[in-house]
Every structure is written in structure tokens, then in C-alpha cells.
């Protein structure tokens, strides 16, 4: 086969081969063997735009630059930067363009950002903010595109090109973009507002409030609520006045269990000074279909610092009737365990009657503080033998020994442990009882508490 026929065949295969990797190898072979053939270069000028595999297009960019670092290649690189759909290809082309024509590359980009083609403008904006973000002309181009470009895609790219709140001078641009006619641009703008940490928060809070209460797009409302939750000193990015709090409460109340309102619920729990807010959050805590949401809301209400009888009563109910053992366990941990409180009797009940060992164990973690009371000490000893959960029996034995180490006479506890060594149905508990016996009879004044029991089976946080 003649050389020109072989080259022609290889060119056809470099276009028609369906395997991306094989096609890339064929392109490289063609350049290695026939670099001087004008048709080789002509084919690469086509393939750098039309090959369907981004990795191959990047490879063609490199071949063009290494073989023909001239004006014609720069023209193709400029076109790749402004038209290729893959950012990795665009980045490679821009880097080589800057290397070959450092003085002209940025000038060309500023020309292309005024192209009639919105796709070209959009990709050029990305190149400008990636490679020339600190140049004042770049901010001017971003500003112009964000405020006046007819394409929503270009305005969206311009919104993303703002340097995440690094320049407070761009805050006004982001604030204006919150009212953009395109929902995607508005959502990007409200996301950006949360990054301006040196800007007065009242203006941001008011803008977010207006988006939540007036925007007809659910994604924009969710973005505004998500941004409002970003931590600030003080509090969150939401107006702290009755109308705004009432509006947020009504927004949640309209559909309190909807996934789309989850950020609104999280935001609302920052305003528990309002009795109506607490009432709504109690409803969510008791009736939300998701176990984690019920637990989270119950814990936040309990920790809100309000001496609220309704919240305390809610926690008592959830400690008994919630279908999730984890929620019940957290509720038990939230009970008021003072000696004269009515919850002490409820703790005793949960320590025996709950169907899940972790909930009973949670109750015993609190009751163990009250073993100076003879009735609780007697119940602990009885349950250390009778509880059906071996981990909990082990936990109670450790608590018994922890108290006994300070007693004037350790012998009664040693005698009791001997019965557990002999009669407990679980081999690990029997061994633990033997080890605890050794601890008590070792003569040590302070016995380190062994890490056993239900408290080590799950995370209290």
C-alpha cells in the first residue's frame, strides 16, 4: 500500500473508529507518521472541535500546540475556549493560548465576551474569571453581563463569576440579581448573598425574607431559606421582627411536614421565644413522619431554655409513645430528673417497661444518679438480674460496683456479684461479674468504670 493511501486510511479510521481510546491512539499515530502532510493538520483542526470524546479533544489541543505553535493554532485555541462544552478541554486550550500569546489572550477574551452568540459569551466569562479574575476589566465584563445580558445562561454564569463575597463592592450586583427574571439566576444570587460576611446583614436578611414570601419559584424560596440559615453573629440571616417571624411561621404551618419546607423549619427554631412558634414546633416534633426530624425538633425545644409546661409534657409523651426507640431514648434523657420532680417516677417506669434495651438503658443512666435512694438502689439490683438485655444487665452491674467502691463495707456487693457469676444466662455478663468482683476485692480505692452497657451501642448526639 502506498504511503498516501495508508495515510488516507488512517485518517478515515481516526474519524470513524467507535472506540474512544483507539481513536485517540490513531490520531497520535497519524501525527507521528505524517506531520508534514497538510491533510493531517487539517484533520486535527476539525477533530479538536468535533471528536466526541473530551479526552481526545484535549489530546488534539496538545498535538496542535506541540507540532504547530503558530497563529493558525492560536485561532483554533481561541475557538475551543469559547465553544467547547467540556471545561477540561476549555481549560487546556486557554492555558496553551496564554502560553503562546500572553499579551493577546485576555484581549481576545474581552472581545469574545461581547459576541452575538450567548454560548460564546458564557464560556468566555468562565475563562475570564478562571484566568484573569483579578483584572479590573474582568469585573467590568461580569458586571455588564449580569446586569444587561439578554441570555439567562450568561447572567447565571456571571452570577457564579462573582468571587464568593471576596469583594464587598460586588454585593450590590448580587442584591440586584435577586430580582432577576430568571429563577435560576435568582437562586444563584440568594446563594451568593450568604457569602458576604462583611456586609450589613439587615439588607441581606430583608432580601431573603422577600424571596421567601413573594417568589413563585420553589427552588428560589428554598435557596433563600438555606442561605438564611448560614451562621452569622448574631443569629441567622432573617429579620428579627414580628411580621417576618409570623410570615415564616405561616409558611411552615401551611405544610409543616413537606420536604421543601425543611429549611424553613430549621430556621423557625431560632425564634422559640414566640409561643406560637413553640406550639407549631411541638406539633412537628410529635407528628413528623421522619424519626430524625422528630428527635431533632424535640431536642431543640427541650434545650431552648424556656420553662414551658407544654414542651415538658410533650417530652413525657414522646418518652412513652413515640414509635422510634431512638426518639424515646432522647426523650427519656430530656426528662426532669430532680428528686422532687414527677418525671422521676416516669424514669422508673421507662427503666423497666420500655420494650427496647437502649431506652431502658437511657433511663438508668439518669436513675444511677439517685442510688442513694433505697427504692432505686433496690430496683437497680433487681433489674441487673432480671432485665432481658445482657448489655443492660452489664451496665447495671458496673453502676452497682461504682457505688459500692465508696461503701464502708464492700462485702454485700461481692456476695451479690457471686450470684451473677453463677446464675446470669449470658457468658459475657458472668465474666464481667467475675472481673468486677476482682476489682472490688483488689483493695483499690478508686475503681475505673468499665465501658460496657447500652450507652456504648449508639451515639447520643
Amino acid at each position: 500500500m502506498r504511503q498516501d493511501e495508508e495515510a488516507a486510511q488512517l485518517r478515515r479510521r481516526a474519524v470513524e473508529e467507535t472506540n474512544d481510546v483507539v481513536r485517540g491512539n490513531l490520531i497520535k499515530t497519524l501525527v507521528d507518521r505524517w506531520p508534514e502532510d497538510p491533510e493531517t493538520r487539517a484533520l486535527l483542526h476539525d477533530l479538536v472541535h468535533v471528536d466526541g470524546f473530551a479526552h481526545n479533544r484535549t489530546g488534539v489541543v496538545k498535538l496542535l500546540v506541540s507540532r504547530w505553535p503558530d497563529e493558525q493554532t492560536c485561532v483554533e485555541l481561541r475557538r475551543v475556549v469559547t465553544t467547547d462544552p467540556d471545561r477540561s478541554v476549555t481549560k487546556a486550550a486557554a492555558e496553551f493560548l496564554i502560553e503562546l500569546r500572553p499579551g493577546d489572550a485576555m484581549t481576545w477574551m474581552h472581545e469574545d465576551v461581547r459576541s452575538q452568540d450567548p454560548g460564546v459569551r458564557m464560556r468566555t466569562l468562565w475563562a475570564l474569571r478562571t484566568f484573569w479574575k483579578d483584572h479590573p476589566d474582568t469585573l467590568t465584563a461580569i458586571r455588564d453581563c449580569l446586569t444587561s445580558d439578554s441570555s439567562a445562561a450568561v447572567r447565571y454564569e456571571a452570577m457564579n463569576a462573582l468571587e464568593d463575597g471576596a469583594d464587598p463592592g460586588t454585593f450590590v450586583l448580587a442584591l440586584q440579581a435577586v430580582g432577576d427574571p430568571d429563577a435560576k439566576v435568582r437562586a444563584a444570587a440568594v446563594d451568593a448573598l450568604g457569602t458576604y460576611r462583611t456586609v450589613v446583614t439587615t439588607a441581606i436578611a430583608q432580601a431573603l425574607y422577600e424571596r421567601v414570601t413573594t417568589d413563585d419559584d420553589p427552588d428560589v424560596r428554598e435557596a433563600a431559606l438555606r442561605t438564611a440559615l448560614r451562621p452569622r453573629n448574631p443569629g441567622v440571616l432573617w429579620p428579627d421582627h414580628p411580621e417576618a417571624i409570623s410570615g415564616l411561621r405561616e409558611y411552615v404551618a401551611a405544610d409543616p411536614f413537606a420536604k421543601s419546607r425543611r429549611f424553613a423549619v430549621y430556621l423557625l427554631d431560632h425564634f422559640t421565644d414566640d409561643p406560637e412558634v413553640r406550639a407549631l414546633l411541638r406539633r412537628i416534633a410529635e407528628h413528623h413522619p421522619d424519626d430524625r426530624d422528630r428527635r431533632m425538633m424535640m431536642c431543640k425545644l427541650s434545650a431552648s431554655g424556656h420553662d414551658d409546661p407544654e414542651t415538658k409534657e410533650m417530652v413525657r409523651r414522646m418518652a412513652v409513645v413515640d414509635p422510634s426507640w431512638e426518639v424515646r431514648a432522647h426523650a427519656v434523657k430530656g426528662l426532669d430528673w430532680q428528686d422532687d420532680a414527677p418525671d422521676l417516677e416516669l424514669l422508673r417506669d421507662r427503666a423497666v417497661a420500655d420494650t427496647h434495651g437502649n431506652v431502658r438503658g437511657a433511663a438508668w443512666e439518669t436513675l444511677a444518679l439517685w442510688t442513694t435512694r433505697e427504692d432505686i438502689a433496690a430496683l437497680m439490683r433487681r433489674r441487673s438480674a432480671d432485665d432481658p438485655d445482657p448489655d443492660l444487665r452489664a451496665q447495671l452491674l458496673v453502676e452497682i460496683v461504682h457505688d459500692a467502691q465508696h461503701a464502708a463495707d464492700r462485702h454485700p456487693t461481692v456476695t451479690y456479684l457471686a450470684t451473677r457469676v453463677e446464675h446470669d444466662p449470658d457468658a459475657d455478663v458472668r465474666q464481667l461479674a467475675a472481673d468486677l468482683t476482682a476489682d472490688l476485692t483488689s483493695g483499690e480505692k478508686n475503681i475505673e468504670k468499665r465501658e460496657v452497657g447500652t450507652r456504648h451501642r449508639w451515639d447520643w448526639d
Side-chain angles (χ1 to χ4, degrees), residues 25 94 349 351 366 388 445 447 453:
N25 289 333
D349 173 77
T366 300
K445 290 185 177 179
I447 300 172

Side-chain angles (χ1 to χ4, degrees), residues 230-249:
R230 293 188 183 184
R232 281 297 183 97
N233 187 17
V236 289
L237 291 169
W238 193 258
D240 190 11
H241 60 71
E243 181 184 353
I245 297 171
S246 175
L248 182 63
R249 188 188 70 246

